[in-house]
Amino acid sequence: FLTNLNSGEIIVGKLCSSALASVYALMGIFPMLALPVLMGGITLQNFALTVLGLLNGILFALAAGLLASVLCQRQFTAIALGLGLTIGLGAGLMLGAAAASAYRPTRPLANWLAPLSPLYTVITADAARLFGPNRFWHSAAAVAGMSLGCLGLTILLLARTWRDRPKTIPAWHRLKFWRRSERTCSRAAPPLARD
């Protein structure tokens, strides 16, 4: 409440501070993920695409968590909403695409529904075909767009909710009846005698 920062600067600061731990943990895992490249199991391109998909998924999860924290006032509700957004869009879109691909008339819907999921980006990093042709780059762009959209919505909502507002005067205090009774009480008291 005492800062001169605007809502965008606050969100970028919170994003950087919360992303630092998860990105450091992911960077600690990268050498272990690169062992199959040294052994000849996967290509360097597959490794790089997997890393990009994981970073994209972390950005999406952080953006959904920040949006949930702005929408909710209580901590448990914000955690539940952030977890629900992340799992719902991650696994829910994949389940919806799997259900759509099970029926012949809705198969084209599965080709466009699955790339919206952050889970699809990680699964298709090794050039796997899932629900039709591989759309890794479409999925990476869609997930990054959803993440930036969540951050933009968070900035807009935070600008309206986080600052102190002046106290509003209840409507019954605006009536002249209350003011008149306060004036008569102050006039009725006799002045104190001075020695």
Side-chain angles (χ1 to χ4, degrees), residues 1 27 38 40 45 67 69 73 80 92 100 117 121 125 133 169 193:
F1 294 113
M27 288 176 74
L38 296 174
Q45 179 185 4
L67 179 62
S69 70
Q73 293 181 354
S117 171
T121 310
I169 300 171

Side-chain angles (χ1 to χ4, degrees), residues 61-129:
L62 290 171
L66 286 174
L67 179 62
S69 70
V70 168
L71 291 174
C72 301
Q73 293 181 354
R74 299 192 180 271
Q75 181 181 5
F76 179 75
T77 312
I79 291 170
L81 181 63
L83 190 63
L85 279 173
T86 306
I87 292 176
L89 288 175
L93 287 173
M94 290 295 285
L95 289 174
S101 71
Y103 299 105
R104 189 172 184 85
T106 58
R107 278 193 189 143
L109 178 65
N111 293 338
W112 295 103
L113 189 63
L116 297 175
S117 171
L119 188 57
Y120 180 87
T121 310
V122 177
I123 291 173
T124 59
D126 63 346
R129 291 176 169 244

Side-chain angles (χ1 to χ4, degrees), residues 25-174:
L26 193 60
M27 288 176 74
I29 295 173
F30 284 164
M32 298 300 286
L33 289 175
L35 282 178
V37 175
L38 296 174
M39 291 183 222
I42 63 169
T43 64
L44 186 61
Q45 179 185 4
N46 291 346
F47 170 71
L49 293 180
T50 302
V51 168
L52 179 67
L54 288 172
L55 287 172
N56 206 2
I58 286 176
L59 175 66
F60 176 74
L62 290 171
L66 286 174
L67 179 62
S69 70
V70 168
L71 291 174
C72 301
Q73 293 181 354
R74 299 192 180 271
Q75 181 181 5
F76 179 75
T77 312
I79 291 170
L81 181 63
L83 190 63
L85 279 173
T86 306
I87 292 176
L89 288 175
L93 287 173
M94 290 295 285
L95 289 174
S101 71
Y103 299 105
R104 189 172 184 85
T106 58
R107 278 193 189 143
L109 178 65
N111 293 338
W112 295 103
L113 189 63
L116 297 175
S117 171
L119 188 57
Y120 180 87
T121 310
V122 177
I123 291 173
T124 59
D126 63 346
R129 291 176 169 244
L130 188 64
F131 307 121
N134 187 337
R135 290 192 166 93
F136 173 81
W137 292 108
H138 295 283
S139 178
V143 172
M146 287 192 310
S147 302
L148 293 176
C150 284
L151 289 175
L153 184 61
T154 304
I155 289 170
L156 288 175
L157 291 174
L158 185 65
R160 298 174 183 264
T161 58
W162 77 283
R163 294 206 181 262
D164 276 338
R165 291 184 177 85
K167 292 183 180 179
T168 57
I169 300 171
W172 60 84
H173 284 288
R174 292 185 198 147

